[in-house]
Amino acid sequence: MLSVLSDEHFMKEAFKEAQKAFDEDEVPVGAIIVCDNKVIARAHNMTERLNDVTAHAEMLVFTSSTDYLGGKYLNECTLYVTLEPCVMCAGASYWTQLKKVVYGANDEKRGFRKHQENLLHPKTEIVSGIMQNECSEILKRFFDQKRG
Amino acid sequence: MLSVLSDEHFMKEAFKEAQKAFDEDEVPVGAIIVCDNKVIARAHNMTERLNDVTAHAEMLVFTSSTDYLGGKYLNECTLYVTLEPCVMCAGASYWTQLKKVVYGANDEKRGFRKHQENLLHPKTEIVSGIMQNECSEILKRFFDQKRG
């Protein structure tokens, strides 16, 4: 029997990655790539560990999923990410020709949607607000803790 | 005697990288990062070799220059790149807080400047049109050859 798993199911997987980031003192954002109902890449933000501001969870899963698939495009894949992607990640997503992006929390300051023009590939479907509370809560907790 | 080298001088270095890309059958775009009048990173587009659409010359030099400097920010550095950066690379440049970007050819279709809003960090200075002809000519030659 083919069972199609829900966006909530997969966002929970992305959220597990955000929790790992939190435990490692990284900004808690997690992402996974799903292809044919299967998780083919998972990562969390690693900007501190790698000392690299480009090491966002999305960039890491884009690179590892194309490596896994052997093709350069993700036009049959969905990105689940706990926070609205930034301009860099939206621009990267454009190049991957991503089929769909599903994100949790909004990022009013740095999210790609504050820009009026569509920065994603015109064929990329967008779903937002899945596990929004949990996804924003873990970020709030992280930054509250940082501020002491 | 302190001699301050010109933008043309450094763009020639970026152009050498574009030529290497051409020779390796990659889209011929090259980039370098300059800090205190010294080249600290150089790369060319490697999307084919790495099978990774995010492996633009700019992304590669951002990562290797922060690795070299040991800090996450490039606010004392200049990026020289032969082609106007795309949205992804402009977004990455935002996170690096790059001091200055100098580019050669315009990219009317995929360049970040076709977007009305500034996608770079507000403090990043922009210079364009350095070695514009050479930088666009090598791209034209590459794509003409591809089309047979």
Side-chain angles (χ1 to χ4, degrees):
Chain A
M1 195 184 88
L2 176 73
S3 78
V4 174
L5 297 166
S6 68
D7 283 344
E8 283 74 12
H9 170 85
F10 287 121
M11 189 59 85
K12 277 184 192 155
E13 294 300 311
F15 189 74
K16 283 181 194 166
E17 289 297 315
Q19 283 175 312
K20 283 187 212 164
F22 187 95
D23 294 343
E24 294 172 18
D25 211 27
E26 297 277 359
V27 175
V29 179
I32 63 167
I33 295 282
V34 173
C35 190
D36 286 338
N37 231 16
K38 202 175 90 181
V39 179
I40 63 165
R42 53 173 67 237
H44 59 72
N45 177 46
M46 292 179 77
T47 51
E48 294 300 324
R49 195 199 300 183
L50 299 180
N51 189 46
D52 183 352
V53 292
T54 72
H56 285 192
E58 299 94 314
M59 301 301 285
L60 301 174
V61 291
F62 288 154
T63 296
S64 59
S65 54
T66 49
D67 192 47
Y68 173 84
L69 291 172
K72 275 192 296 185
Y73 303 110
L74 302 176
N75 52 338
E76 297 296 327
C77 300
T78 299
L79 165 71
Y80 290 85
V81 57
T82 58
L83 179 65
E84 179 185 339
C86 72
V87 169
M88 170 181 71
C89 295
S93 151
Y94 175 93
W95 291 118
T96 68
Q97 301 181 9
L98 195 65
K99 184 182 183 186
K100 183 175 164 187
V101 54
V102 181
Y103 65 86
N106 296 322
D107 186 349
E108 307 288 350
K109 276 174 77 179
R110 301 284 168 248
F112 76 98
R113 294 188 97 170
K114 78 165 192 165
H115 295 278
Q116 287 169 352
E117 296 148 289
N118 181 20
L119 301 180
L120 300 182
H121 193 277
K123 288 191 179 165
T124 304
E125 186 190 340
I126 308 176
V127 174
S128 65
I130 307 292
M131 289 180 64
Q132 182 161 12
N133 290 345
E134 294 93 325
C135 293
S136 61
E137 180 55 40
I138 194 172
L139 282 157
K140 189 176 173 304
R141 197 149 45 91
F142 179 81
F143 288 112
D144 282 353
Q145 186 182 288
K146 283 283 162 195
R147 277 187 287 264
Chain B
M1 195 186 89
L2 176 73
S3 78
V4 175
L5 297 167
S6 68
D7 283 344
E8 284 73 13
H9 170 85
F10 287 121
M11 189 58 86
K12 276 184 192 157
E13 293 301 309
F15 188 74
K16 283 181 194 167
E17 289 296 316
Q19 282 175 312
K20 282 187 212 163
F22 187 96
D23 295 341
E24 292 171 19
D25 212 27
E26 297 276 359
V27 175
V29 179
I32 64 168
I33 295 283
V34 173
C35 190
D36 285 338
N37 230 16
K38 203 175 90 182
V39 179
I40 63 166
R42 53 172 69 236
H44 59 72
N45 176 46
M46 290 178 77
T47 50
E48 293 300 322
R49 195 198 301 182
L50 299 181
N51 188 46
D52 182 351
V53 291
T54 72
H56 285 193
E58 299 95 315
M59 301 300 285
L60 301 175
V61 291
F62 288 153
T63 296
S64 59
S65 55
T66 49
D67 192 47
Y68 173 84
L69 291 172
K72 276 192 296 186
Y73 303 111
L74 302 176
N75 52 338
E76 296 296 327
C77 300
T78 300
L79 165 72
Y80 290 85
V81 57
T82 58
L83 180 66
E84 179 185 340
C86 72
V87 169
M88 169 181 71
C89 295
S93 151
Y94 175 92
W95 292 117
T96 69
Q97 301 182 10
L98 195 65
K99 183 183 183 186
K100 184 175 162 186
V101 55
V102 181
Y103 65 85
N106 296 321
D107 186 349
E108 308 288 350
K109 276 174 77 178
R110 301 282 168 252
F112 76 98
R113 294 187 97 171
K114 78 164 191 165
H115 295 279
Q116 287 169 353
E117 296 150 291
N118 181 19
L119 301 181
L120 301 181
H121 194 277
K123 287 190 180 166
T124 304
E125 187 191 338
I126 307 175
V127 174
S128 65
I130 307 292
M131 290 179 63
Q132 181 160 12
N133 290 346
E134 295 92 324
C135 293
S136 61
E137 180 54 39
I138 195 170
L139 281 157
K140 189 178 174 303
R141 197 148 46 90
F142 179 81
F143 288 111
D144 282 353
Q145 185 182 287
K146 284 280 163 199
R147 277 187 288 264

